[in-house]
Amino acid sequence: MSIFRIIWLGQLFYLIGISMTSFALNISVFRQTGSATQFALLMLTCTIPPIIISPVAGTLVDKWDRRMTMIIAHILMGFLTLSLLVIATIGQIEIWQIYLINIFASIIGTFSNPAYKAAITSLVPPEDLSRASGMVQLSMGIQQIVGPLIAGAILDAIHLQGILTIDFLGLLIALTTLISVKFGEKIHQTEENNYQPSISFLWHVLWRDVTDGWTYLIKCPGLTSLVIILIVYQFSIGFVTVLFYPLALSLTTPSELGKIVFLSGISMILGSLLMSIWKYQWQNLITTILIAMSLSGMAIAIGGSRPSLLQMYIGTILFFFNTPLINGMIQILFQTRVAENLQGRVFALTGAISSAAIPLASIIAAPLSDYVFEPLMGFDGNWSKALIGQLIGTGPGRGTGLLFVIVGCFITTTAIIASQHPKIRQLELAE
């Protein structure tokens, strides 16, 4: 755990710097364009590349030294940050340049993230995996709060150049911690590593290894079922992600929305702290995941069920408190149930599959809310006088609220059904 704590601390500075830069670039895009479409495209440049290359990246991570993979990834991110800093210093950054930087940064992250997760298994004894997983989730919660908070407070004073400088310093700290420790030497060595590589040979090896990750999941029906549940969950969360701001702004002001977002980060940190001190047992690991998913569904339904700011706060606290528990426990399951030499490709493959559900849901959610549910739940809508209108209210935002109720109930029902699935229960009994 001592080596992991050093690496974790470096990664925390790294994540905070990235979060600050991301916030500053988002503001820059919005100030230049004022376009929600351009904002959506910015998100797609971060999500689409990992979905495409994650299977191959995970395969390569399993073949490479994981520590060296993270070091090289951090160096490349440093070059990207310096490039942005130079561009910002000599003139205004163009939108297409931000898109291009985002694409490269997301590709680099597709290699470093599975390397980090897979390296934890080498570094941490099994009894401490829950603590390590909780610390990873904690760093994400801190990133969500501290990055935008600091960037928003100092952006107008030090401008984008200052934010990028802080980001680069965080990268240097993370790189220093990685260089100062030893861990994660090559795990998967075969005779193929001794051959002189050719294009056809490399393609054969990569394709075979990518399919190995998928084959491994198929051969373990419990893991396959868990991935399917994760996809359904992430698809549902995609609706919440794209519709949360419109729903909140139908009830309150942007200033109050900022408080809700801040509270979401606090809740995530509290859930992560609980995860970091949790001594898990195989006998209730799956049960914990499904209970947390059920509570997340209930939180989403609570947030949308009435035009109440109090209920929005309650739903936010409950949802973000459970998020690190779900993510952390799922990570432990894969770390303890997947062979160590396959973890990089399995983490990358499952990450790509589940991540693809979020942009797909985003594409569906916005038009469904704008053109179907909002008109139905408007003051003069077809459902305004029906029972559903009397229960959740009518007017602006109530169609989106109804979608939240539907999605929340769907998540809770899915978790309850999954708890009775024999293959899922087999995972819980595995040792």
Side-chain angles (χ1 to χ4, degrees):
M1 283 296 291
S2 59
I3 293 177
F4 171 72
R5 288 190 188 100
I6 294 172
I7 298 166
W8 177 86
L9 186 61
Q11 293 303 301
L12 178 60
F13 282 104
Y14 170 65
L15 289 173
I16 291 174
I18 287 179
S19 179
M20 292 176 64
T21 297
S22 176
F23 180 87
L25 290 177
N26 287 343
I27 296 297
S28 176
V29 169
F30 194 74
R31 283 177 175 175
Q32 286 188 50
T33 66
S35 168
T37 301
Q38 295 282 4
F39 215 67
L41 287 174
L42 192 67
M43 183 189 74
L44 290 177
T45 58
C46 297
T47 56
I48 298 300
I51 292 171
I52 296 172
I53 69 169
S54 277
V56 173
T59 298
L60 293 174
V61 164
D62 282 333
K63 288 184 170 294
W64 295 342
D65 182 298
R66 287 161 182 172
R67 170 175 167 267
M68 189 55 62
T69 300
M70 293 176 67
I71 289 173
I72 293 173
H74 283 57
I75 291 173
L76 293 175
M77 283 295 292
F79 279 121
L80 285 181
T81 305
L82 283 177
S83 300
L84 264 179
L85 182 57
V86 170
I87 295 171
T89 302
I90 63 178
Q92 188 179 43
I93 298 178
E94 300 291 335
I95 301 297
W96 67 268
Q97 293 169 332
I98 296 176
Y99 289 160
L100 194 61
I101 291 291
N102 269 357
I103 291 171
F104 283 123
S106 63
I107 291 173
I108 293 170
T110 305
F111 286 88
S112 64
N113 292 339
Y116 181 33
K117 288 182 180 179
I120 293 173
T121 311
S122 305
L123 287 167
V124 177
E127 62 270 17
D128 286 328
L129 279 176
S130 60
R131 293 171 59 198
S133 183
M135 289 173 68
V136 171
Q137 298 301 316
L138 176 62
S139 65
M140 294 173 63
I142 294 173
Q143 171 198 19
Q144 182 174 329
I145 291 179
V146 175
L149 191 64
I150 296 177
I154 65 177
L155 179 59
D156 289 333
I158 65 175
H159 308 293
L160 181 59
Q161 294 93 317
I163 299 292
L164 290 169
T165 302
I166 295 173
D167 185 3
F168 185 73
L169 292 175
L171 271 166
L172 288 180
I173 293 173
L175 190 58
T176 301
T177 60
L178 288 170
I179 293 173
S180 65
V181 297
K182 298 290 184 182
F183 72 92
E185 300 303 317
K186 280 185 181 177
I187 292 174
H188 189 45
Q189 284 279 9
T190 68
E191 293 181 1
E192 289 162 349
N193 297 108
N194 300 322
Y195 287 104
Q196 185 68 30
S198 65
I199 297 298
S200 60
F201 176 74
L202 285 176
W203 174 254
H204 168 74
V205 171
L206 283 176
W207 175 252
R208 188 204 63 201
D209 286 350
V210 168
T211 56
D212 279 351
W214 181 249
T215 302
Y216 189 93
L217 287 176
I218 293 175
K219 286 182 179 178
C220 185
L223 287 180
T224 307
S225 301
L226 182 64
V227 171
I228 292 172
I229 293 171
L230 183 59
I231 292 171
V232 172
Y233 179 74
Q234 293 284 57
F235 181 80
S236 304
I237 296 304
F239 276 74
V240 178
T241 301
V242 75
L243 296 177
F244 176 73
Y245 275 33
L247 177 63
L249 291 173
S250 71
L251 297 174
T252 187
T253 63
S255 175
E256 195 70 28
L257 174 59
K259 296 178 184 178
I260 295 175
V261 173
F262 179 79
L263 184 63
S264 71
I266 295 294
S267 301
M268 193 170 179
I269 286 179
L270 293 176
S272 301
L273 287 172
L274 175 62
M275 182 72 201
S276 65
I277 62 175
W278 194 314
K279 291 293 184 181
Y280 78 91
Q281 296 179 348
W282 273 111
Q283 287 71 21
N284 57 22
L285 191 56
I286 283 289
T287 299
T288 304
I289 293 171
L290 297 178
I291 289 175
M293 281 188 176
S294 298
L295 292 174
S296 291
M298 293 170 57
I300 294 168
I302 289 171
S305 61
R306 292 295 300 172
S308 165
L309 190 57
L310 176 61
Q311 288 189 206
M312 177 67 72
Y313 272 106
I314 293 172
T316 298
I317 292 171
L318 184 58
F319 176 81
F320 281 97
F321 182 82
N322 280 282
T323 297
L325 297 178
I326 295 170
N327 294 336
M329 289 291 182
I330 288 175
Q331 180 175 311
I332 293 171
L333 259 179
F334 281 111
Q335 286 171 332
T336 50
R337 293 291 290 144
V338 176
E340 194 171 335
N341 65 300
L342 289 170
Q343 286 187 10
R345 71 199 77 175
V346 170
F347 273 127
L349 182 62
T350 54
I353 293 171
S354 60
S355 296
I358 293 181
L360 178 60
S362 300
I363 293 171
I364 298 172
L368 195 61
S369 174
D370 289 339
Y371 301 114
V372 179
F373 282 87
E374 281 295 311
L376 285 173
M377 298 302 296
F379 290 122
D380 298 322
N382 293 339
W383 290 358
S384 60
K385 300 296 190 294
L387 178 61
I388 189 67
Q390 297 175 25
L391 289 175
I392 73 168
T394 59
R398 289 297 78 212
T400 304
L402 178 57
L403 261 179
F404 267 53
V405 173
I406 293 171
V407 168
C409 291
F410 176 72
I411 290 174
T412 300
T413 303
T414 299
I416 293 172
I417 294 173
S419 68
Q420 305 304 313
H421 196 285
K423 292 177 180 177
I424 294 292
R425 306 310 308 183
Q426 286 173 9
L427 265 183
E428 184 166 69
L429 296 175
E431 296 183 357

